[in-house]
Short mmCIF file of all heavy atoms in Angstrom, two decimals:
data_model
loop_
_atom_site.label_atom_id
_atom_site.label_comp_id
_atom_site.label_asym_id
_atom_site.label_seq_id
_atom_site.Cartn_x
_atom_site.Cartn_y
_atom_site.Cartn_z
N GLN A 3 2.44 4.78 0.88
CA GLN A 3 2.54 5.37 2.21
C GLN A 3 1.42 6.36 2.49
O GLN A 3 0.87 6.39 3.60
CB GLN A 3 3.91 6.05 2.36
CG GLN A 3 4.13 6.69 3.70
CD GLN A 3 4.20 5.73 4.87
OE1 GLN A 3 4.06 6.15 6.02
NE2 GLN A 3 4.40 4.46 4.61
N VAL A 4 1.05 7.18 1.50
CA VAL A 4 -0.03 8.15 1.70
C VAL A 4 -1.33 7.43 2.05
O VAL A 4 -2.06 7.84 2.97
CB VAL A 4 -0.20 9.03 0.45
CG1 VAL A 4 -1.50 9.82 0.53
CG2 VAL A 4 0.97 9.99 0.30
N VAL A 7 -1.16 5.97 5.65
CA VAL A 7 -1.37 7.01 6.67
C VAL A 7 -2.84 7.38 6.76
O VAL A 7 -3.42 7.47 7.85
CB VAL A 7 -0.50 8.25 6.35
CG1 VAL A 7 -0.95 9.44 7.18
CG2 VAL A 7 0.96 7.94 6.61
N ALA A 8 -3.48 7.59 5.62
CA ALA A 8 -4.89 7.98 5.61
C ALA A 8 -5.77 6.89 6.21
O ALA A 8 -6.68 7.17 7.00
CB ALA A 8 -5.34 8.30 4.18
N ALA A 9 -5.50 5.63 5.86
CA ALA A 9 -6.32 4.53 6.37
C ALA A 9 -6.14 4.36 7.88
O ALA A 9 -7.11 4.15 8.62
CB ALA A 9 -5.95 3.24 5.65
N TRP A 11 -5.13 6.66 10.06
CA TRP A 11 -5.69 7.79 10.78
C TRP A 11 -7.23 7.73 10.81
O TRP A 11 -7.85 8.08 11.80
CB TRP A 11 -5.22 9.10 10.17
CG TRP A 11 -5.67 10.30 10.94
CD1 TRP A 11 -6.52 11.29 10.54
CD2 TRP A 11 -5.31 10.62 12.30
NE1 TRP A 11 -6.70 12.21 11.53
CE2 TRP A 11 -5.97 11.82 12.63
CE3 TRP A 11 -4.49 10.02 13.25
CZ2 TRP A 11 -5.85 12.42 13.87
CZ3 TRP A 11 -4.37 10.62 14.49
CH2 TRP A 11 -5.04 11.80 14.79
N GLU A 12 -7.82 7.29 9.72
CA GLU A 12 -9.27 7.14 9.69
C GLU A 12 -9.74 6.15 10.76
O GLU A 12 -10.75 6.37 11.43
CB GLU A 12 -9.72 6.68 8.31
CG GLU A 12 -11.23 6.63 8.13
CD GLU A 12 -11.64 6.31 6.71
OE1 GLU A 12 -10.78 5.95 5.89
OE2 GLU A 12 -12.85 6.40 6.42
N VAL A 15 -9.36 7.96 14.25
CA VAL A 15 -10.42 8.96 14.46
C VAL A 15 -11.75 8.27 14.71
O VAL A 15 -12.53 8.67 15.59
CB VAL A 15 -10.50 9.93 13.27
CG1 VAL A 15 -11.71 10.85 13.41
CG2 VAL A 15 -9.23 10.75 13.17
N ARG A 19 -14.02 8.70 18.12
CA ARG A 19 -15.41 9.17 18.09
C ARG A 19 -16.34 8.19 18.79
O ARG A 19 -17.28 8.61 19.46
CB ARG A 19 -15.84 9.38 16.64
CG ARG A 19 -15.22 10.62 16.00
CD ARG A 19 -15.56 10.71 14.53
NE ARG A 19 -15.03 11.95 13.96
CZ ARG A 19 -14.87 12.15 12.66
NH1 ARG A 19 -15.21 11.20 11.79
NH2 ARG A 19 -14.39 13.31 12.23
N ALA A 28 -11.33 17.34 20.25
CA ALA A 28 -10.12 18.17 20.21
C ALA A 28 -9.50 18.20 18.82
O ALA A 28 -8.59 18.99 18.57
CB ALA A 28 -9.10 17.67 21.22
N LEU A 29 -9.97 17.33 17.92
CA LEU A 29 -9.43 17.30 16.55
C LEU A 29 -10.02 18.45 15.74
O LEU A 29 -11.24 18.63 15.68
CB LEU A 29 -9.76 15.97 15.89
CG LEU A 29 -9.13 14.73 16.51
CD1 LEU A 29 -9.67 13.48 15.85
CD2 LEU A 29 -7.60 14.79 16.40
N ARG A 30 -9.16 19.20 15.11
CA ARG A 30 -9.63 20.28 14.25
C ARG A 30 -10.11 19.72 12.91
O ARG A 30 -9.70 18.62 12.50
CB ARG A 30 -8.50 21.28 13.99
CG ARG A 30 -8.10 22.09 15.21
CD ARG A 30 -7.16 23.22 14.80
NE ARG A 30 -6.77 24.03 15.95
CZ ARG A 30 -7.51 25.01 16.45
NH1 ARG A 30 -8.69 25.29 15.90
NH2 ARG A 30 -7.08 25.71 17.50
N PRO A 31 -10.95 20.46 12.20
CA PRO A 31 -11.29 20.07 10.82
C PRO A 31 -10.02 20.04 9.97
O PRO A 31 -8.97 20.55 10.37
CB PRO A 31 -12.24 21.18 10.36
CG PRO A 31 -12.74 21.81 11.61
CD PRO A 31 -11.64 21.68 12.63
N GLY A 32 -10.12 19.45 8.80
CA GLY A 32 -8.97 19.36 7.92
C GLY A 32 -8.44 20.72 7.50
O GLY A 32 -9.19 21.69 7.38
N ALA A 33 -7.14 20.78 7.27
CA ALA A 33 -6.51 22.03 6.84
C ALA A 33 -6.98 22.42 5.45
O ALA A 33 -7.19 21.57 4.57
CB ALA A 33 -4.99 21.89 6.85
N SER A 34 -7.14 23.71 5.23
CA SER A 34 -7.58 24.22 3.94
C SER A 34 -6.37 24.38 3.00
O SER A 34 -5.22 24.29 3.42
CB SER A 34 -8.25 25.58 4.13
OG SER A 34 -7.31 26.53 4.61
N ASP A 35 -6.68 24.66 1.72
CA ASP A 35 -5.61 24.94 0.77
C ASP A 35 -4.76 26.12 1.25
O ASP A 35 -3.53 26.09 1.14
CB ASP A 35 -6.19 25.28 -0.60
CG ASP A 35 -6.83 24.09 -1.30
OD1 ASP A 35 -6.58 22.95 -0.87
OD2 ASP A 35 -7.58 24.31 -2.28
N GLU A 36 -5.43 27.14 1.80
CA GLU A 36 -4.71 28.33 2.26
C GLU A 36 -3.80 28.00 3.44
O GLU A 36 -2.67 28.50 3.52
CB GLU A 36 -5.71 29.42 2.66
CG GLU A 36 -6.49 30.02 1.51
CD GLU A 36 -7.62 29.13 1.01
OE1 GLU A 36 -7.95 28.12 1.69
OE2 GLU A 36 -8.17 29.42 -0.06
N GLU A 37 -4.26 27.16 4.36
CA GLU A 37 -3.44 26.80 5.52
C GLU A 37 -2.23 25.97 5.10
O GLU A 37 -1.12 26.18 5.62
CB GLU A 37 -4.29 26.05 6.54
CG GLU A 37 -5.27 26.95 7.28
CD GLU A 37 -6.27 26.18 8.10
OE1 GLU A 37 -6.77 25.13 7.63
OE2 GLU A 37 -6.56 26.62 9.23
N ILE A 38 -2.42 25.06 4.15
CA ILE A 38 -1.30 24.26 3.65
C ILE A 38 -0.30 25.16 2.93
O ILE A 38 0.93 25.06 3.12
CB ILE A 38 -1.78 23.14 2.71
CG1 ILE A 38 -2.65 22.12 3.48
CG2 ILE A 38 -0.59 22.44 2.04
CD1 ILE A 38 -1.93 21.33 4.53
N ALA A 39 -0.80 26.07 2.10
CA ALA A 39 0.08 26.98 1.37
C ALA A 39 0.87 27.87 2.32
O ALA A 39 2.07 28.11 2.12
CB ALA A 39 -0.74 27.83 0.39
N ARG A 40 0.21 28.35 3.38
CA ARG A 40 0.89 29.21 4.35
C ARG A 40 1.97 28.42 5.09
O ARG A 40 3.07 28.93 5.34
CB ARG A 40 -0.12 29.78 5.34
CG ARG A 40 0.48 30.85 6.26
CD ARG A 40 -0.55 31.39 7.23
NE ARG A 40 -1.75 31.83 6.55
CZ ARG A 40 -2.96 31.29 6.74
NH1 ARG A 40 -3.15 30.31 7.61
NH2 ARG A 40 -4.00 31.76 6.07
N LEU A 41 1.67 27.17 5.45
CA LEU A 41 2.66 26.34 6.13
C LEU A 41 3.87 26.13 5.23
O LEU A 41 5.02 26.26 5.67
CB LEU A 41 2.04 25.00 6.52
CG LEU A 41 2.99 23.97 7.14
CD1 LEU A 41 3.65 24.52 8.42
CD2 LEU A 41 2.25 22.66 7.44
N ASN A 42 3.64 25.80 3.95
CA ASN A 42 4.75 25.62 3.02
C ASN A 42 5.60 26.87 2.92
O ASN A 42 6.84 26.82 2.90
CB ASN A 42 4.22 25.24 1.63
CG ASN A 42 3.67 23.83 1.57
OD1 ASN A 42 4.02 22.97 2.37
ND2 ASN A 42 2.78 23.59 0.62
N GLU A 43 4.93 28.02 2.88
CA GLU A 43 5.66 29.29 2.78
C GLU A 43 6.49 29.55 4.03
O GLU A 43 7.65 29.96 3.94
CB GLU A 43 4.66 30.42 2.56
CG GLU A 43 5.31 31.79 2.42
CD GLU A 43 4.31 32.90 2.19
OE1 GLU A 43 3.10 32.60 2.07
OE2 GLU A 43 4.73 34.06 2.12
N GLU A 44 5.91 29.30 5.19
CA GLU A 44 6.63 29.58 6.44
C GLU A 44 7.79 28.60 6.66
O GLU A 44 8.82 28.98 7.22
CB GLU A 44 5.65 29.54 7.61
CG GLU A 44 4.66 30.70 7.57
CD GLU A 44 3.68 30.69 8.72
OE1 GLU A 44 3.57 29.66 9.41
OE2 GLU A 44 3.00 31.72 8.93
N LEU A 45 7.63 27.36 6.21
CA LEU A 45 8.73 26.40 6.33
C LEU A 45 9.82 26.66 5.30
O LEU A 45 10.99 26.34 5.52
CB LEU A 45 8.20 24.97 6.17
CG LEU A 45 7.27 24.43 7.24
CD1 LEU A 45 6.84 23.00 6.90
CD2 LEU A 45 7.92 24.45 8.62
N PHE A 47 9.58 25.28 2.19
CA PHE A 47 9.55 24.14 1.27
C PHE A 47 8.18 23.48 1.39
O PHE A 47 7.44 23.71 2.35
CB PHE A 47 10.66 23.13 1.59
CG PHE A 47 10.63 22.60 3.01
CD1 PHE A 47 9.90 21.46 3.34
CD2 PHE A 47 11.34 23.24 4.03
CE1 PHE A 47 9.87 20.98 4.64
CE2 PHE A 47 11.31 22.77 5.33
CZ PHE A 47 10.57 21.64 5.63
N ASP A 48 7.85 22.65 0.41
CA ASP A 48 6.57 21.96 0.43
C ASP A 48 6.64 20.75 1.36
O ASP A 48 7.60 19.97 1.30
CB ASP A 48 6.18 21.48 -0.98
CG ASP A 48 5.81 22.62 -1.91
OD1 ASP A 48 5.64 23.75 -1.40
OD2 ASP A 48 5.71 22.39 -3.12
N ILE A 49 5.62 20.61 2.21
CA ILE A 49 5.61 19.48 3.13
C ILE A 49 5.43 18.17 2.36
O ILE A 49 4.85 18.16 1.27
CB ILE A 49 4.49 19.64 4.19
CG1 ILE A 49 3.11 19.72 3.52
CG2 ILE A 49 4.76 20.85 5.07
CD1 ILE A 49 1.95 19.74 4.50
N PRO A 50 5.91 17.05 2.89
CA PRO A 50 5.73 15.76 2.22
C PRO A 50 4.25 15.40 2.09
O PRO A 50 3.41 15.83 2.88
CB PRO A 50 6.45 14.78 3.17
CG PRO A 50 7.41 15.61 3.95
CD PRO A 50 6.74 16.95 4.11
N ASP A 51 3.95 14.59 1.08
CA ASP A 51 2.57 14.20 0.81
C ASP A 51 1.91 13.53 2.02
O ASP A 51 0.71 13.74 2.27
CB ASP A 51 2.52 13.23 -0.38
CG ASP A 51 2.85 13.93 -1.70
OD1 ASP A 51 2.87 15.17 -1.73
OD2 ASP A 51 3.09 13.22 -2.69
N VAL A 52 2.68 12.73 2.77
CA VAL A 52 2.08 12.02 3.90
C VAL A 52 1.61 12.99 4.97
O VAL A 52 0.58 12.76 5.63
CB VAL A 52 3.05 10.98 4.51
CG1 VAL A 52 3.25 9.81 3.56
CG2 VAL A 52 4.38 11.61 4.90
N LEU A 53 2.34 14.08 5.15
CA LEU A 53 1.93 15.06 6.14
C LEU A 53 0.76 15.88 5.62
O LEU A 53 -0.18 16.20 6.36
CB LEU A 53 3.10 15.98 6.51
CG LEU A 53 2.79 17.09 7.52
CD1 LEU A 53 2.18 16.52 8.81
CD2 LEU A 53 4.03 17.91 7.83
N GLU A 54 0.78 16.21 4.34
CA GLU A 54 -0.32 16.98 3.78
C GLU A 54 -1.64 16.21 3.87
O GLU A 54 -2.66 16.78 4.27
CB GLU A 54 -0.05 17.35 2.33
CG GLU A 54 -1.18 18.17 1.73
CD GLU A 54 -0.86 18.73 0.35
OE1 GLU A 54 0.33 18.78 -0.02
OE2 GLU A 54 -1.81 19.11 -0.36
N VAL A 55 -1.63 14.92 3.55
CA VAL A 55 -2.88 14.16 3.61
C VAL A 55 -3.37 14.05 5.05
O VAL A 55 -4.58 14.11 5.31
CB VAL A 55 -2.72 12.77 2.96
CG1 VAL A 55 -1.91 11.81 3.84
CG2 VAL A 55 -4.08 12.15 2.65
N TRP A 56 -2.44 13.94 5.99
CA TRP A 56 -2.81 13.85 7.41
C TRP A 56 -3.44 15.16 7.88
O TRP A 56 -4.50 15.17 8.50
CB TRP A 56 -1.56 13.52 8.22
CG TRP A 56 -1.80 13.10 9.63
CD1 TRP A 56 -2.95 12.59 10.16
CD2 TRP A 56 -0.86 13.13 10.70
NE1 TRP A 56 -2.78 12.30 11.49
CE2 TRP A 56 -1.51 12.63 11.84
CE3 TRP A 56 0.47 13.52 10.81
CZ2 TRP A 56 -0.88 12.52 13.08
CZ3 TRP A 56 1.10 13.40 12.03
CH2 TRP A 56 0.44 12.90 13.16
N LEU A 57 -2.81 16.28 7.54
CA LEU A 57 -3.33 17.58 7.95
C LEU A 57 -4.65 17.90 7.26
O LEU A 57 -5.51 18.58 7.82
CB LEU A 57 -2.30 18.67 7.65
CG LEU A 57 -1.05 18.68 8.52
CD1 LEU A 57 -0.01 19.63 7.95
CD2 LEU A 57 -1.39 19.05 9.96
N ARG A 58 -4.83 17.42 6.03
CA ARG A 58 -6.09 17.68 5.34
C ARG A 58 -7.23 16.86 5.93
O ARG A 58 -8.41 17.20 5.73
CB ARG A 58 -5.93 17.40 3.84
CG ARG A 58 -5.14 18.48 3.12
CD ARG A 58 -5.18 18.30 1.62
NE ARG A 58 -4.40 19.30 0.92
CZ ARG A 58 -4.82 20.52 0.61
NH1 ARG A 58 -6.05 20.90 0.97
NH2 ARG A 58 -4.06 21.35 -0.06
N MET A 59 -6.89 15.80 6.66
CA MET A 59 -7.92 15.03 7.37
C MET A 59 -8.28 15.72 8.68
O MET A 59 -9.46 15.91 9.00
CB MET A 59 -7.44 13.60 7.60
CG MET A 59 -7.25 12.81 6.31
SD MET A 59 -6.59 11.14 6.58
CE MET A 59 -8.08 10.30 7.15
N ASN A 60 -7.27 16.10 9.44
CA ASN A 60 -7.45 16.86 10.69
C ASN A 60 -6.24 17.75 10.89
O ASN A 60 -5.11 17.27 10.85
CB ASN A 60 -7.62 15.94 11.89
CG ASN A 60 -8.92 15.19 11.90
OD1 ASN A 60 -8.96 14.01 11.58
ND2 ASN A 60 -10.01 15.87 12.25
N ASN A 61 -6.49 19.01 11.12
CA ASN A 61 -5.41 19.99 11.26
C ASN A 61 -4.98 20.09 12.73
O ASN A 61 -5.07 21.14 13.36
CB ASN A 61 -5.88 21.35 10.74
CG ASN A 61 -4.76 22.37 10.65
OD1 ASN A 61 -3.59 22.03 10.73
ND2 ASN A 61 -5.14 23.63 10.51
N GLY A 62 -4.52 18.96 13.28
CA GLY A 62 -4.05 18.93 14.65
C GLY A 62 -5.13 18.56 15.64
O GLY A 62 -6.31 18.44 15.31
N SER A 63 -4.70 18.38 16.90
CA SER A 63 -5.64 18.02 17.99
C SER A 63 -5.73 19.17 18.98
O SER A 63 -5.81 18.95 20.19
CB SER A 63 -5.18 16.74 18.69
OG SER A 63 -3.92 16.92 19.32
N THR A 64 -5.73 20.39 18.46
CA THR A 64 -5.61 21.57 19.32
C THR A 64 -6.89 22.42 19.34
O THR A 64 -6.84 23.60 19.70
CB THR A 64 -4.43 22.44 18.85
OG1 THR A 64 -4.65 22.84 17.48
CG2 THR A 64 -3.12 21.68 18.94
N ILE A 86 -3.52 13.05 22.51
CA ILE A 86 -4.14 11.85 21.96
C ILE A 86 -3.13 10.76 21.64
O ILE A 86 -3.51 9.65 21.27
CB ILE A 86 -4.97 12.18 20.71
CG1 ILE A 86 -4.09 12.83 19.64
CG2 ILE A 86 -6.15 13.09 21.06
CD1 ILE A 86 -4.80 13.00 18.31
N PHE A 87 -1.83 11.07 21.80
CA PHE A 87 -0.80 10.08 21.51
C PHE A 87 -0.08 9.65 22.79
O PHE A 87 -0.02 10.41 23.76
CB PHE A 87 0.23 10.66 20.54
CG PHE A 87 -0.31 10.98 19.18
CD1 PHE A 87 -0.17 12.24 18.64
CD2 PHE A 87 -0.97 10.02 18.43
CE1 PHE A 87 -0.67 12.54 17.39
CE2 PHE A 87 -1.48 10.30 17.18
CZ PHE A 87 -1.32 11.57 16.66
N ARG A 92 0.58 15.62 21.75
CA ARG A 92 -0.55 16.11 20.96
C ARG A 92 -0.15 16.19 19.49
O ARG A 92 1.04 16.22 19.15
CB ARG A 92 -1.00 17.47 21.48
CG ARG A 92 0.06 18.53 21.46
CD ARG A 92 -0.29 19.71 22.36
NE ARG A 92 0.79 20.68 22.35
CZ ARG A 92 0.75 21.86 21.73
NH1 ARG A 92 -0.33 22.23 21.10
NH2 ARG A 92 1.79 22.67 21.77
N PHE A 93 -1.14 16.22 18.64
CA PHE A 93 -0.96 16.32 17.19
C PHE A 93 -0.90 17.80 16.83
O PHE A 93 -1.85 18.53 17.05
CB PHE A 93 -2.14 15.60 16.53
CG PHE A 93 -2.25 15.71 15.04
CD1 PHE A 93 -1.17 16.05 14.23
CD2 PHE A 93 -3.46 15.44 14.42
CE1 PHE A 93 -1.30 16.13 12.85
CE2 PHE A 93 -3.61 15.51 13.04
CZ PHE A 93 -2.53 15.87 12.25
N LEU A 94 0.22 18.25 16.27
CA LEU A 94 0.39 19.65 15.92
C LEU A 94 -0.27 19.96 14.59
O LEU A 94 -0.10 19.21 13.62
CB LEU A 94 1.88 20.01 15.84
CG LEU A 94 2.71 19.77 17.11
CD1 LEU A 94 4.15 20.21 16.87
CD2 LEU A 94 2.13 20.50 18.30
N GLY A 95 -1.02 21.06 14.54
CA GLY A 95 -1.60 21.53 13.30
C GLY A 95 -0.66 22.47 12.57
O GLY A 95 0.47 22.73 13.00
N CYS A 96 -1.12 23.00 11.44
CA CYS A 96 -0.26 23.86 10.61
C CYS A 96 0.34 25.01 11.41
O CYS A 96 1.54 25.30 11.29
CB CYS A 96 -1.07 24.40 9.44
SG CYS A 96 -1.59 23.17 8.22
N LYS A 97 -0.49 25.69 12.18
CA LYS A 97 -0.01 26.85 12.93
C LYS A 97 1.06 26.46 13.94
O LYS A 97 2.10 27.12 14.06
CB LYS A 97 -1.19 27.52 13.64
CG LYS A 97 -0.80 28.75 14.44
CD LYS A 97 -2.03 29.37 15.11
CE LYS A 97 -1.66 30.57 15.95
NZ LYS A 97 -2.86 31.16 16.62
N GLU A 98 0.81 25.37 14.68
CA GLU A 98 1.77 24.94 15.71
C GLU A 98 3.07 24.42 15.07
O GLU A 98 4.17 24.65 15.58
CB GLU A 98 1.17 23.86 16.59
CG GLU A 98 0.01 24.31 17.46
CD GLU A 98 -1.30 24.36 16.71
OE1 GLU A 98 -1.47 23.58 15.74
OE2 GLU A 98 -2.17 25.19 17.07
N ILE A 99 2.93 23.70 13.95
CA ILE A 99 4.11 23.20 13.25
C ILE A 99 5.02 24.36 12.84
O ILE A 99 6.23 24.35 13.09
CB ILE A 99 3.71 22.36 12.02
CG1 ILE A 99 3.12 21.02 12.45
CG2 ILE A 99 4.92 22.13 11.10
CD1 ILE A 99 2.52 20.22 11.32
N ALA A 100 4.42 25.36 12.20
CA ALA A 100 5.21 26.51 11.74
C ALA A 100 5.85 27.24 12.91
O ALA A 100 7.04 27.62 12.85
CB ALA A 100 4.33 27.46 10.93
N GLY A 101 5.10 27.43 13.99
CA GLY A 101 5.63 28.14 15.15
C GLY A 101 6.76 27.41 15.82
O GLY A 101 7.80 28.02 16.16
N ILE A 124 10.46 18.60 10.53
CA ILE A 124 9.13 19.16 10.76
C ILE A 124 8.56 18.56 12.04
O ILE A 124 8.27 17.35 12.08
CB ILE A 124 8.19 18.84 9.58
CG1 ILE A 124 8.82 19.26 8.25
CG2 ILE A 124 6.84 19.53 9.78
CD1 ILE A 124 8.03 18.80 7.03
N PRO A 125 8.35 19.33 13.09
CA PRO A 125 7.75 18.78 14.31
C PRO A 125 6.26 18.49 14.06
O PRO A 125 5.52 19.36 13.63
CB PRO A 125 7.93 19.91 15.33
CG PRO A 125 7.99 21.16 14.51
CD PRO A 125 8.62 20.78 13.21
N VAL A 126 5.84 17.25 14.33
CA VAL A 126 4.45 16.88 14.07
C VAL A 126 3.71 16.43 15.33
O VAL A 126 2.47 16.48 15.36
CB VAL A 126 4.35 15.78 12.98
CG1 VAL A 126 4.79 16.33 11.63
CG2 VAL A 126 5.17 14.54 13.35
N MET A 127 4.43 15.97 16.33
CA MET A 127 3.84 15.59 17.61
C MET A 127 4.73 16.13 18.71
O MET A 127 5.95 16.10 18.59
CB MET A 127 3.72 14.06 17.76
CG MET A 127 2.85 13.37 16.75
SD MET A 127 2.99 11.57 16.86
CE MET A 127 3.63 11.18 15.22
N LEU A 138 9.06 14.75 11.57
CA LEU A 138 9.07 14.16 10.24
C LEU A 138 10.28 14.73 9.50
O LEU A 138 10.39 15.95 9.35
CB LEU A 138 7.77 14.53 9.51
CG LEU A 138 7.37 13.70 8.30
CD1 LEU A 138 6.99 12.29 8.73
CD2 LEU A 138 6.20 14.36 7.58
N LEU A 165 5.82 7.55 8.90
CA LEU A 165 4.67 7.93 9.71
C LEU A 165 3.68 6.78 9.81
O LEU A 165 3.07 6.55 10.86
CB LEU A 165 4.00 9.16 9.09
CG LEU A 165 2.77 9.72 9.82
CD1 LEU A 165 3.09 10.11 11.25
CD2 LEU A 165 2.21 10.91 9.04
N LEU A 169 1.39 5.25 13.01
CA LEU A 169 -0.07 5.32 13.07
C LEU A 169 -0.73 3.96 12.92
O LEU A 169 -1.76 3.69 13.56
CB LEU A 169 -0.59 6.27 12.00
CG LEU A 169 -0.20 7.75 12.15
CD1 LEU A 169 -0.77 8.56 11.00
CD2 LEU A 169 -0.67 8.30 13.48
#
Side-chain angles (χ1 to χ4, degrees):
Q3 180 66 197
V4 167
V7 166
W11 185 245
E12 186 174 9
V15 173
R19 287 174 176 162
L29 296 173
R30 291 190 179 278
S34 65
D35 290 345
E36 292 77 11
E37 287 170 319
I38 295 294
R40 188 180 309 117
L41 175 59
N42 288 337
E43 181 179 357
E44 292 180 346
L45 294 179
F47 57 90
D48 290 348
I49 60 174
D51 290 347
V52 290
L53 179 55
E54 181 172 342
V55 74
W56 193 22
L57 290 169
R58 286 189 181 277
M59 295 177 77
N60 290 102
N61 189 14
S63 63
T64 59
I86 58 172
F87 296 125
R92 58 198 178 107
F93 173 21
L94 302 181
C96 293
K97 180 180 178 181
E98 294 81 28
I99 288 172
I124 308 172
V126 293
M127 298 171 241
L138 198 68
L165 181 59
L169 295 179

